[in-house]
Amino acid sequence: MDQGQVSVEAAPKTGFLSSLSLVTGALRAERGRMAGSIALATVSVLMEMLPILAVYKLIAMVAEGAQTSASFLWLAGGMSVAIALGYACFGLATRQSHIIAFNLIYDLRMRLANHLARLTLDRVSGMGSGEAKQTIITEPEKLELMVAHAIPEGASAMITWLVMSCWLFYVDWRMALAAIALTPIAFICMSIAIRLSYKSVEEVQRSNLEMNAAMAEFMAGLPVVKMFNATLDSQASISRAIIRLSDVQSAMGRAFVPMGGSFYALILANITVILTVGVWLMHSGEIDLTTLLFFVILGANYSTPLMRLFDLFHHFAHISITAVTAQRLLDQAPQHDSGDARALDGHRVQFDGAEASYVTQTVLHDICMTAEAGTTTALVGPSGSGKSTLARLIPRLLEIDRGSIAIAGRNTQDIGLSRLMADTAMVFQDPFLFTDTVAANIRYGDPEASDAEVRAAAEAAQAHGFITALPQGYDTVIGQGQQLLSGGERQRIAIARAMLKKAPIVILDEATAFTDPDNETEIQAAISALTQDKTLIVIAHRLHTITHADNIVVLDQGRIVAQGRHATLLTQEGLYAQMWRDYTDAGATILIGGAQNG
């Protein structure tokens, strides 16, 4: 799948608790700290209510004609302390909840990364870079709002609302009913608003992935875009993705506004009910002015925790949209791992009727071949014949559909992945280097290797010379964002990394396909050092590099059409002989260009 392709797997059904389910396990481990955060947040909100009580007391004293000077000073001092204490508790609660949030985000990202590492490459490659960024970086980041704010503040708002409700009923049950009369209707409006707007959850998710994929593809293909002057067309593609997401989100907002707006209007309108009922009861002599003032003051603030609660609930539900792709990834079954780490008794690799496919297309058919321990087996064939797929089946980077692959007589499915990876080294055609120092990239083959061992591997890979010429030598930072190395130099660092691993089975995926003659000589020398006394399986593009192979396996359209040594295959006048003639003819061809005078 290319950079911009979007996974089309059916997403799991999104619920309001989808995001919470992602962090339930880790949240359980933080329950003590979370309880403390909720308690502090509750105290903070309750402290906000004390000034309301103080104002009510002052108004009541004024209404009764009492002296208020001394009381005012005491109440003012009490309000100041309450406000200061409230802010302090809120700060401590926020600090605690953010620590919890960052711990949970770290835990979730590590779970996602570790789960990705346990999937086969065909599953991972089905995830475009835009989707990968959203799943591992963007989505967990949004959970910070849920954990750091929605849970502690939502819980404290609920507790505060319950306390206020009990207080109102304690003072006068009739006025309390007036204060909360509109609340159930408001709650129904909010429920309808969320249900209507979240009908388009999957469409929003899909549009968001398409926009991320379009941006990632544009950035990845920027050199091509600039070279072919296609900037406007590429931006138009991005613009369409952004507009589509905007349209879907706007439609979602339009579906929410009528009932959602009604919720906020009804929540704020409770004061009108309080005044209407209160004036009527006071006119009837059922309540006094002090009681009415109490409900006007407290009732006006009664909606505050409710608005906070439902606003957080709305965001909580919105965040659950972002749980879809992360949950979909975690729901994928990991690659089978027997866990058997016993040492292998030899390194003979044998394919017996192996078949493999990508999605629904079978790319390898009935593969039967043997790579004897300590020998070189070359895989050749036209582009798309299945060479790379066959090689990647050995360390189970990809899985077979039928048949079997055995190493030293043991089925690779029965060998633990850690043992399989420890005994296999692979140098890819386009080597990947991490954004780190040269030494760290080489040491990836053996994290415990000393500096002397790293240097020895670099020298054996013919890389020491150009490494020492770099600005900081082995401490020079290289990687995907750095352009300090040529393709051949990157290849030699990858070979040094494989050397340091000291694996008995070495797979080379067209390691010299795109190198210049000078680099090819040095890389061939490095490969000779790397593969000495190893079981070597090499995918060959330049046929002259494998003429001395112990066995050459010729593939065409996913099938083995011939096997044997170079001289033997040439006498059979089959596909290999034709490839050799084409290769040697191409080597003798001189390309002539230029305009002729006429």
Side-chain angles (χ1 to χ4, degrees):
M1 180 174 286
D2 61 29
Q3 292 267 2
Q5 192 169 345
V6 179
S7 174
V8 294
E9 290 183 53
K13 185 175 179 58
T14 304
F16 296 151
L17 299 180
S18 297
S19 52
L20 184 59
S21 65
L22 285 173
V23 294
T24 300
L27 190 60
R28 199 175 294 120
E30 298 277 359
R31 58 183 178 272
R33 185 176 280 164
M34 179 60 74
S37 177
I38 292 174
L40 287 167
T42 302
V43 172
S44 173
V45 176
L46 292 176
M47 289 297 103
E48 292 177 9
M49 296 175 60
L50 291 182
I52 300 173
L53 178 61
V55 171
Y56 162 69
K57 289 289 187 183
L58 281 173
I59 293 175
M61 284 188 292
V62 171
E64 295 170 359
Q67 292 294 323
T68 60
S69 299
S71 299
F72 176 81
L73 293 175
W74 279 104
L75 290 173
M79 283 191 291
S80 299
V81 172
I83 292 172
L85 183 60
Y87 276 112
C89 289
F90 180 78
L92 291 172
T94 303
R95 179 179 181 275
Q96 289 288 90
S97 62
H98 276 82
I99 291 173
I100 297 167
F102 296 142
N103 288 341
L104 296 184
I105 291 171
Y106 169 81
D107 177 79
L108 177 58
R109 282 180 173 151
M110 291 303 295
R111 282 170 56 205
L112 289 168
N114 288 331
H115 195 74
L116 271 174
R118 296 168 62 197
L119 300 176
T120 55
L121 285 184
D122 55 336
R123 293 187 184 183
V124 177
S125 62
M127 179 183 288
S129 58
E131 184 178 357
K133 175 181 178 294
Q134 178 165 320
T135 302
I136 300 177
I137 299 176
T138 307
E139 292 185 3
E141 195 66 37
K142 290 182 179 179
L143 292 176
E144 183 268 339
L145 175 64
M146 179 195 74
V147 177
H149 300 280
I151 292 179
E153 292 181 25
S156 64
M158 175 61 76
I159 293 170
T160 303
W161 176 71
L162 290 173
V163 170
M164 292 179 71
S165 299
C166 292
W167 193 3
L168 292 174
F169 274 96
Y170 174 76
V171 174
D172 190 285
W173 66 270
R174 296 163 299 182
M175 289 298 296
L177 288 175
I180 69 172
L182 297 179
T183 301
I185 303 173
F187 179 80
I188 293 172
C189 289
M190 175 60 78
S191 300
I192 294 173
I194 291 177
R195 187 164 61 251
L196 290 175
S197 63
Y198 280 78
K199 286 181 178 179
S200 54
V201 161
E202 303 301 338
E203 190 65 26
V204 170
Q205 181 72 5
R206 190 178 302 110
S207 300
N208 200 29
L209 289 176
E210 289 174 355
M211 183 190 70
N212 286 339
M215 292 295 295
E217 185 178 58
F218 177 78
M219 294 302 297
L222 196 56
V224 177
V225 170
K226 292 174 68 69
M227 182 59 65
F228 288 91
N229 198 29
T231 305
L232 293 179
D233 292 337
S234 299
Q235 288 179 344
S237 175
I238 295 172
S239 176
R240 284 193 298 271
I242 294 174
I243 290 172
R244 176 174 171 77
L245 177 60
S246 176
D247 290 342
V248 174
Q249 289 181 326
S250 296
M252 192 176 184
R254 287 192 296 270
F256 175 84
V257 165
M259 289 292 101
S262 299
F263 161 80
Y264 289 106
L266 288 169
I267 285 293
L268 295 173
N270 72 327
I271 190 66
T272 60
V273 182
I274 291 171
L275 284 172
T276 302
V277 175
V279 170
W280 178 70
L281 289 175
M282 189 174 69
H283 180 72
S284 303
E286 299 291 330
I287 62 171
D288 55 19
L289 178 61
T290 302
T291 302
L292 176 59
L293 288 173
F294 169 78
F295 277 92
V296 168
I297 295 170
L298 191 61
N301 292 275
Y302 180 76
S303 61
T304 301
L306 275 180
M307 291 182 66
R308 182 181 300 174
L309 181 65
F310 284 109
D311 188 52
L312 287 170
F313 181 71
H314 172 61
H315 285 296
F316 194 74
H318 183 73
I319 291 169
S320 286
I321 298 176
T322 68
V324 174
T325 57
Q327 191 61 60
R328 180 171 59 211
L329 174 63
L330 292 173
D331 286 343
Q332 292 189 39
Q335 188 175 16
H336 166 71
D337 184 3
S338 69
D340 188 349
R342 289 178 299 163
L344 298 174
D345 185 20
H347 295 92
R348 178 176 184 262
V349 180
Q350 184 175 10
F351 286 72
D352 185 8
E355 293 189 3
S357 60
Y358 284 115
V359 191
T360 58
Q361 181 182 2
T362 302
V363 294
L364 287 176
H365 309 266
D366 193 27
I367 301 299
C368 296
M369 57 163 279
T370 300
E372 297 291 347
T375 66
T376 298
T377 301
L379 306 178
V380 302
S383 178
S385 60
K387 303 183 296 296
S388 293
T389 301
L390 190 154
R392 295 184 182 204
L393 292 174
I394 298 170
R396 290 182 59 198
L397 296 179
L398 301 173
E399 294 283 21
I400 60 174
D401 299 324
R402 297 179 191 81
S404 65
I405 303 172
I407 299 177
R410 289 173 58 189
N411 194 312
T412 54
Q413 294 290 324
D414 299 328
I415 302 171
L417 287 175
S418 61
R419 168 55 58 187
L420 197 58
M421 295 302 173
D423 283 21
T424 309
M426 192 165 186
V427 179
F428 297 95
Q429 177 180 330
D430 184 17
F432 181 89
L433 299 181
F434 294 93
T435 303
D436 207 333
T437 64
V438 174
N441 270 277
I442 296 175
R443 192 174 276 113
Y444 205 77
D446 180 5
E448 303 300 323
S450 65
D451 290 342
E453 289 173 320
V454 168
R455 175 169 177 160
E459 290 175 343
Q462 310 294 311
H464 178 71
F466 74 79
I467 291 174
T468 53
L470 292 172
Q472 284 83 41
Y474 283 84
D475 293 325
T476 303
V477 175
I478 56 176
Q480 299 306 103
Q482 308 291 329
Q483 304 297 326
L484 298 175
L485 304 179
S486 67
E489 290 169 341
R490 297 166 69 87
Q491 194 69 262
R492 276 176 276 169
I493 288 179
I495 291 172
R497 181 163 61 195
M499 283 181 167
L500 203 58
K501 189 175 183 181
K502 300 175 183 176
I505 300 174
V506 178
I507 303 168
L508 303 180
D509 188 353
E510 301 198 51
T512 63
F514 303 114
T515 57
D516 55 65
D518 291 337
N519 273 331
E520 181 180 359
T521 300
E522 293 183 333
I523 290 175
Q524 286 295 342
I527 289 173
S528 296
L530 167 64
T531 59
Q532 188 173 4
D533 300 324
K534 306 287 180 66
T535 301
L536 173 63
I537 297 171
V538 55
I539 298 172
H541 176 76
R542 297 180 175 178
L543 297 184
H544 73 273
T545 62
I546 49 93
T547 55
H548 298 293
D550 298 286
N551 187 31
I552 299 174
V553 178
V554 186
L555 291 105
D556 188 24
Q557 297 183 356
R559 299 181 185 275
I560 295 178
V561 295
Q563 295 188 61
R565 288 183 172 272
H566 172 72
T568 303
L569 291 173
L570 288 181
T571 63
Q572 294 177 358
E573 289 299 323
L575 176 60
Y576 182 80
Q578 181 60 50
M579 291 175 62
W580 179 257
R581 283 194 295 270
D582 293 342
Y583 176 73
T584 53
D585 289 346
T589 301
I590 300 176
L591 298 179
I592 301 176
Q596 294 182 359
N597 295 324

